[in-house]
Structure formats: structure tokens, C-alpha cells
Amino acid sequence: MDGNGRWAQSKGRPRIFGHIHGSNKVRTIVKECGKAGIAYLTLFAFSSENWGRPKEEVQKLMGLLCKYLSKELNTLIKENIRFNYIGDVEKLPPSAQDILKETVKKTSANTGLCLTFALSYGSRNEILRATKLIAKDCKDGLLSIDAINEDVYKNYLYTYNLPDPDLIIRTSGESRLSNFLLWQAAYAEIYVSPKYWPEFSKADLKLALQDYSKRKRRFGLIGAQATKPNEAQL
Ligand code: IPE
Ligand code: MG
């Protein structure tokens, strides 16, 4: 979700105005993904690099996160959405950590869309963390070096219980991954929308899904071998 600040500035308003509109947009897009039957939606809400922003902006973003989760809990339950988070959340204020854990707990029995917030998340850091955990298990005799393969490695990532993304949508016209799901995105289709996140609409989501449905995914094979249909999982 990119472009909150530029959207606000283009309207002569402070950046936080963009973040408020951005969090309202989360509500709309989450609902729409649920309706479209998408099984997994992961939103990059706050990166490990975002901690370097001005203190006031960081504080306001944390406040918005808490507000969003406490306001949305009943809707998440009602809409059968299972909430999840990834990232170095121990860096978040304790109040935000409490509400995150509560939201996961209270939605854990839901069977619809799995909604994951990436918070204090950075993929290089995630890969380093996994490597250290693997090294420790090897040192402790719980894992042999020969047993390390892609499936084992995946189990040490924050996303151990999530499938790899099929489609990554980046808003605000930027064509880069910005440290998001680097391991997991190996074969993800990438769609760049020119819209700033606060103006990214249901129609824009539909455009992204339509574009994705036309992609030919070969996963390194030749066309005749790769017959897997494009099931939309964002
Ligand atoms: C995305 O909007 C929201 C967060 C990263 C928290 P930005 O805040 O990155 O907006 P721009 O890129 O400055 O416009
Ligand atoms: Mg940005």
C-alpha cells in the first residue's frame, strides 16, 4: 500500500490525512477480496525501514493501526476473516501487540479470507532471522545440514503457514518490491497500479485481477507443461 503521503500532499493536506484515508481503503479492499473468494491477502502496512520516519508520523501510524483493529474486530468476525500478522512485531508499542494478539485469537476459528498484516516487516531481516534459527537448530542437533531444502527453509520464515503470493499489487506507480516477501515472491506476478493507495478503488482491484487472469505462468517450464490455472491469491 503505497502513496498515502503523496496523495495527501497533492491535496495540500498533511501526510496523516493520507494515512487515515489509506486505512479506510483497507476496509474496502479487504471486504472486496473476501467477496471475490480470495483465500489469502497480505498487506504491507509498515516496513522495518518505516521506523526511520519522523517520530510523530510513526506514532500516528501506530495509533491508526490500533484504531483500525479495535474498530474492525466485529466486522472481521462477522465476515469470517481470519487475521494474522508477520514481522518483527516486538518492536511495536505493547498496546498494539496486545490488540494484534487479541484479533488473531478472536478470529482464529474463521474459515474465510486469511488477512495478514506485514508490520515492522522487512524481507532481508526475515531471511536473516530464518538463517539464524536454522543455524541454531543445526547446532542443537535438531536439524542436519543435509536436510535443509526449500520446504524446510520456508518453515523458518514468518510466512511458514502462508502460500507464496500469486499476485503482488503495488500502488502509486512504483515498480519495485521494497523488501517485501523477497523469498516468497520468486514466481509472483507483479501488477503496478498508477493510483495512490487512498484512491485505489474496487474497480482498480478488478483491473488488477483481470490483468492477472490473462498472465501465462510457466514457473520455468515450457507453455505446454505449465497448465496450472491462475487462481487469484493476493
Ligand atoms: C504508504 O504510504 C503507507 C505506509 C508506508 C505506512 P506512504 O506513507 O509510503 O506514502 P508516500 O509513498 O510517502 O506517498
Ligand atoms: Mg511510500
Side-chain angles (χ1 to χ4, degrees):
M1 301 181 285
D2 195 20
N4 291 354
R6 279 166 284 166
W7 178 80
Q9 276 159 353
S10 74
K11 298 192 160 335
R13 305 294 297 265
R15 292 179 57 85
I16 186 66
F17 181 73
H19 294 316
I20 293 168
H21 278 261
S23 73
N24 290 335
K25 195 39 70 72
V26 170
R27 215 165 269 133
T28 313
I29 297 300
V30 166
K31 192 166 180 186
E32 210 49 27
C33 287
K35 278 207 272 180
I38 286 162
Y40 295 88
L41 171 69
T42 302
L43 297 174
F44 201 0
F46 192 85
S47 74
S48 43
E49 290 75 22
N50 287 155
W51 288 116
R53 291 190 178 194
K55 205 170 147 201
E56 197 199 343
E57 181 166 339
V58 171
Q59 267 171 0
K60 286 190 169 153
L61 283 167
M62 293 299 139
L64 269 179
L65 170 70
C66 293
K67 205 166 145 193
Y68 172 86
L69 290 174
S70 50
K71 260 176 96 176
E72 286 310 290
L73 179 59
N74 285 336
T75 311
L76 295 176
I77 294 171
K78 203 173 77 202
E79 288 173 3
N80 197 23
I81 294 169
R82 185 161 53 93
F83 182 78
N84 181 41
Y85 57 83
I86 55 172
D88 189 6
V89 290
E90 276 166 26
K91 286 197 176 137
L92 267 60
S95 56
Q97 293 184 45
D98 289 347
I99 189 158
L100 280 167
K101 283 179 199 146
E102 190 198 343
T103 313
V104 168
K105 204 166 148 198
K106 292 200 170 147
T107 62
S108 64
N110 290 348
T111 55
L113 172 72
C114 173
L115 170 66
T116 302
F117 275 21
L119 292 162
S120 186
Y121 176 85
S123 198
R124 284 185 173 178
N125 179 274
E126 174 186 38
I127 290 167
L128 274 177
R129 174 183 170 273
T131 308
K132 285 184 189 173
L133 291 171
I134 288 171
K136 185 167 187 310
D137 278 356
C138 286
K139 196 171 135 203
D140 294 348
L142 299 169
L143 182 66
S144 85
I145 290 176
D146 290 340
I148 302 169
N149 59 28
E150 290 187 15
D151 288 335
V152 169
Y153 203 94
K154 177 192 156 75
N155 284 331
Y156 288 85
L157 295 169
Y158 287 127
T159 52
Y160 69 93
N161 55 355
L162 300 175
D164 286 345
D166 287 312
L167 172 62
I168 294 183
I169 300 176
R170 170 96 192 221
T171 57
S172 87
E174 308 290 1
S175 308
R176 56 176 176 265
L177 285 175
S178 297
N179 208 8
F180 185 55
L181 301 179
L182 300 180
W183 171 284
Q184 301 85 338
Y187 275 100
E189 297 293 323
I190 298 176
Y191 178 87
V192 176
S193 167
K195 300 279 185 77
Y196 292 137
W197 174 251
E199 59 185 6
F200 185 79
S201 65
K202 290 181 198 174
D204 294 314
L205 176 69
K206 206 170 160 192
L207 281 179
L209 295 178
Q210 277 168 352
D211 188 272
Y212 170 77
S213 71
K214 290 191 214 111
R215 307 274 179 104
K216 300 269 183 286
R217 305 183 78 191
R218 290 180 293 278
F219 301 94
L221 306 178
I222 63 165
Q225 293 173 298
T227 52
K228 202 179 163 218
N230 287 358
E231 295 161 53
Q233 293 190 348
L234 286 85

